[in-house]
Amino acid sequence: YHFLPKKIKSFILRVGIKKDSTNEVFKNIKLLFTKKIFLFNYIFLTIIVILFTPLNLFFILLAYSFSINYFYVLIIFWISFIFGKLSGLPGGLGLRDIAIGTFLISFDIPTALTLKIVFFHRILSFFPTLPVGFIYLLYFGKDKLKNIYNGFL
């Protein structure tokens, strides 16, 4: 707690968080990063995510009979992912697709086919999460949805 800037300390006090609870949180975070098994598992799972997430795009390209080196697909996917995150739009909508499309066109894939590949990739990677989000919205947002609905009446 003592290493936090004054503005953050005053914010913590205004919000009503006790000093003891913040010390406990920082102590738990420190314990997480000093345990070697936690760090190993975290790094291992991160590597799995980094390597296996672009497989979606790789297999879509193979389905359309385009054989691009997996290393290039990995770079295309993650650069477009970073662009999408920097855009601030949900799911990087638009900018990610444009980045993937631009990279694929640079690999001499026809534009019409690139549009199909990017669209199919977006459907397979983004839209399966929508039902999960909708279920969470219905379950956890009942009161807010009622307030919104009553506001329209």
Side-chain angles (χ1 to χ4, degrees):
Y1 184 80
H2 62 280
F3 60 87
L4 292 175
K6 289 181 182 179
K7 287 185 177 184
I8 294 177
K9 286 181 187 178
S10 64
F11 174 75
I12 289 172
L13 292 174
R14 271 196 318 250
V15 173
I17 301 173
K18 297 179 182 175
K19 184 178 177 179
D20 295 334
S21 61
T22 57
N23 285 335
E24 185 177 329
V25 168
F26 289 124
K27 187 174 22 170
N28 289 338
I29 291 172
K30 183 180 176 183
L31 282 174
L32 285 177
F33 287 104
T34 55
K35 292 183 179 181
K36 290 181 182 178
I37 191 70
F38 171 78
L39 283 176
F40 175 77
N41 287 337
Y42 189 79
I43 291 169
F44 180 69
L45 289 174
T46 302
I47 290 171
I48 287 175
V49 167
I50 288 171
L51 293 177
F52 287 111
T53 307
L55 283 174
N56 179 15
L57 182 59
F58 181 72
F59 287 126
I60 292 171
L61 286 167
L62 285 179
Y64 281 100
S65 302
F66 289 102
S67 181
I68 296 178
N69 186 347
Y70 180 72
F71 180 71
Y72 293 134
V73 174
L74 186 84
I75 291 171
I76 290 169
F77 180 85
W78 286 110
I79 287 176
S80 69
F81 184 83
I82 291 168
F83 284 161
K85 286 292 181 187
L86 292 175
S87 73
L89 297 170
L93 204 56
L95 191 58
R96 251 181 99 181
D97 305 324
I98 291 170
I100 290 174
T102 303
F103 283 120
L104 292 179
I105 289 171
S106 71
F107 278 97
D108 294 329
I109 297 176
T111 307
L113 209 51
T114 298
L115 288 171
K116 291 178 186 177
I117 292 169
V118 169
F119 182 71
F120 196 53
H121 170 68
R122 178 56 79 170
I123 288 173
L124 288 179
S125 63
F126 185 64
F127 290 114
T129 60
L130 289 179
V132 174
F134 187 69
I135 290 168
Y136 272 92
L137 174 69
L138 291 177
Y139 183 75
F140 292 112
K142 288 179 185 176
D143 296 333
K144 291 183 180 183
L145 287 174
K146 285 180 186 175
N147 291 338
I148 291 171
Y149 180 73
N150 290 336
F152 286 121
L153 294 179

